[in-house]
């Protein structure tokens, strides 16, 4: 039996090819794919590669589908179950896992290759980060669980209080998720971006103000002028992955403020910060990476509650043969996300 899958052979060379349907082990599950969604990380990998991945390699990591086969040791799942599946799982045994920092796991299992008709789910993910879907959650919405779990993890690291001013720099998928969660925490949320279609989506998600930074030379002043007394934001969240925005995000915080740097930058990027500002203004800067199983499960519960849905994020559907078109449209910021339908 054969299936089709996407393989990235080198930067900007993506091929759809046939391969055998994976055989599963006793603790593994085979999922027949229904939906795969495009992601900013996919765009980065397509355009510039990824330090931890040596091409050629299977491509993609966000998906939802129906179980086609289960290993004989698998419990809690059966053939025909609709499932939401994360693409990673920590070991729960290393130093960092035992310290409660499972996003820093020294033996994190990554499962790539979601742009495919079938996906084999390793046992560790089956046990920790795969969930049966109720009828109320569509496969499209379930495919958002992976990126949403990253925003859920990040927002819990932010000391947001009722009535705080929160600035989110970047209105891509993750930025919009951060913005929505900050709104639900009772904050006055300001979102910045240079794509009007993304800013319009931010407005639909309840933010106080969405600001187009196109042609704005001094973004720090522009944002501070929108805060009470021009003092800056209580919390600033960076969600672009651009080192220049990392630096301006730090400057947008008030005295005693908090800055969360989420967007992954190019390898070798150096953050330059005025040390006197950190010292005399007592600004806290925190990085955050990936997510944890607890936040994956929380993300799914929030999806069940309708906190966000696929209508907020996914604009166009493509067949697998047109994956490259879907990726490039995402890269051009013409959409929030696209999806591949099988």
């Amino acid at each position: 039996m054969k299936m089709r899958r996407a393989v990235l052979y080198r930067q900007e060379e993506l091929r759809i090819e046939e391969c055998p349907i994976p055989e599963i082990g006793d603790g593994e599950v085979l999922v027949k794919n229904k939906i795969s969604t495009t992601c900013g990380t996919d765009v980065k990998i397509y355009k510039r590669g990824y330090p931890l991945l040596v091409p050629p390699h299977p491509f993609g990591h966000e998906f939802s589908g129906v179980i086609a086969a289960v290993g004989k040791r698998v419990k809690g799942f059966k053939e025909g179950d609709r499932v939401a599946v994360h693409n990673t799982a920590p070991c729960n045994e290393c130093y960092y896992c035992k310290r409660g920092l499972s996003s820093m796991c020294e033996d994190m299992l990554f499962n790539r290759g979601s742009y495919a008709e079938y996906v084999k789910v390793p046992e560790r993910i089956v046990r920790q980060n795969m969930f049966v879907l109720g009828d109320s959650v569509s496969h499209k919405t379930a495919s958002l669980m992976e990126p949403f779990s990253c925003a859920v993890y990040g927002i819990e690291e932010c000391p947001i209080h009722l009535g705080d001013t929160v600035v989110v720099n970047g209105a891509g998928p993750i930025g919009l998720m951060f913005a929505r969660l900050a709104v639900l925490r009772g904050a006055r949320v300001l979102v910045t971006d240079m794509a009007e279609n993304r800013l319009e989506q931010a407005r639909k998600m309840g933010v106080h103000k969405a600001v187009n930074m196109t042609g704005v030379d001094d973004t720090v002043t522009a944002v501070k002028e929108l805060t009470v007394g021009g003092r800056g934001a209580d919390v600033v969240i960076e969600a672009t992955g651009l080192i220049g925005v990392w630096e301006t995000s730090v400057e947008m915080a008030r005295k005693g403020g908090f800055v969360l740097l989420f967007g992954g930058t190019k390898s070798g990027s150096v953050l330059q910060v005025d040390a006197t500002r950190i010292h005399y203004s007592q600004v806290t800067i925190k990085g955050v990476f990936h997510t944890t199983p607890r936040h994956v499960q929380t993300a799914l519960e929030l999806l069940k509650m309708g906190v966000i849905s696929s209508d907020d994020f996914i604009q166009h559907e493509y067949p697998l043969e047109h994956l490259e078109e879907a990726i490039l449209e995402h890269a051009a910021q013409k959409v929030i996300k696209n999806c591949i339908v099988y």
Side-chain angles (χ1 to χ4, degrees), residues 156-277:
E156 283 209 342
E157 296 296 304
C158 297
I160 298 173
H161 302 97
L162 294 171
D164 276 356
T165 295
V166 174
V167 171
V168 179
N169 289 320
I174 295 290
L176 289 171
M177 290 172 180
F178 270 120
R180 178 63 177 153
L181 291 169
V183 167
L184 292 176
R185 295 187 80 172
R188 177 178 179 266
V189 182
L190 311 176
V191 175
T192 74
D193 201 281
M194 297 175 71
E196 191 56 39
N197 61 317
R198 294 183 168 198
L199 292 169
E200 182 56 34
Q201 186 59 48
R203 296 182 187 102
K204 291 177 181 177
M205 299 180 81
V207 306
H208 178 75
K209 196 169 186 64
V211 185
N212 194 322
M213 289 297 180
T214 302
V216 178
D217 293 328
D218 188 350
T219 58
V220 174
T221 298
V223 166
K224 281 191 166 184
E225 286 178 347
L226 298 173
T227 65
V228 177
R231 62 175 172 248
D234 300 291
V235 174
V236 182
I237 299 171
E238 191 287 329
T240 70
L242 301 173
I243 193 65
V245 182
W246 275 43
E247 293 175 351
T248 54
S249 293
V250 174
E251 296 299 317
M252 291 175 183
R254 63 161 169 79
K255 292 180 180 180
F258 181 94
V259 182
L260 185 80
L261 301 175
F262 178 88
T265 58
K266 286 184 179 180
S267 179
S269 298
V270 177
L271 176 64
Q272 299 198 23
V273 179
D274 183 350
T276 59
R277 171 165 168 71

Side-chain angles (χ1 to χ4, degrees), residues 100-103 148-158 178 288-292 295:
L101 294 168
S102 58
S103 67
F148 194 38
S149 71
C150 297
V152 170
Y153 178 41
I155 206 77
E156 283 209 342
E157 296 296 304
C158 297
F178 270 120
V288 69
F289 170 71
H290 200 48
T291 191
T292 76
H295 295 95

Side-chain angles (χ1 to χ4, degrees), residues 265-314:
T265 58
K266 286 184 179 180
S267 179
S269 298
V270 177
L271 176 64
Q272 299 198 23
V273 179
D274 183 350
T276 59
R277 171 165 168 71
I278 303 304
H279 177 71
Y280 291 106
S281 294
Q282 293 185 191
V283 173
T284 298
I285 300 174
K286 182 174 179 60
V288 69
F289 170 71
H290 200 48
T291 191
T292 76
R294 180 171 74 82
H295 295 95
V296 173
Q297 188 164 20
T298 300
L300 181 59
E301 291 304 313
L302 292 171
L303 291 175
K304 291 178 183 177
M305 293 164 58
V307 167
I308 63 169
S309 75
S310 59
D311 293 340
D312 301 320
F313 289 88
I314 300 172

Side-chain angles (χ1 to χ4, degrees), residues 67-68 70 74 76-82 132:
I67 293 179
V70 296
V74 172
F77 299 98
K78 65 183 185 301
E79 187 176 331
D81 281 345
R82 301 170 64 250
V132 175

Side-chain angles (χ1 to χ4, degrees), residues 22-31 63 73-74 77 85-89 108-112 119-130:
E23 295 183 1
I24 60 171
D26 290 347
E28 298 177 328
V29 164
L30 183 68
V31 173
F63 75 106
R73 286 205 318 268
V74 172
F77 299 98
V85 192
H86 201 269
N87 73 311
T88 71
M108 184 74 77
L109 172 65
F110 288 87
N111 191 34
R112 299 191 183 276
V119 180
K120 180 171 75 171
V121 183
E123 181 173 2
R124 196 194 290 179
I125 295 177
V126 171
R127 287 176 176 272
Q128 296 185 56
N129 278 338
M130 189 171 84

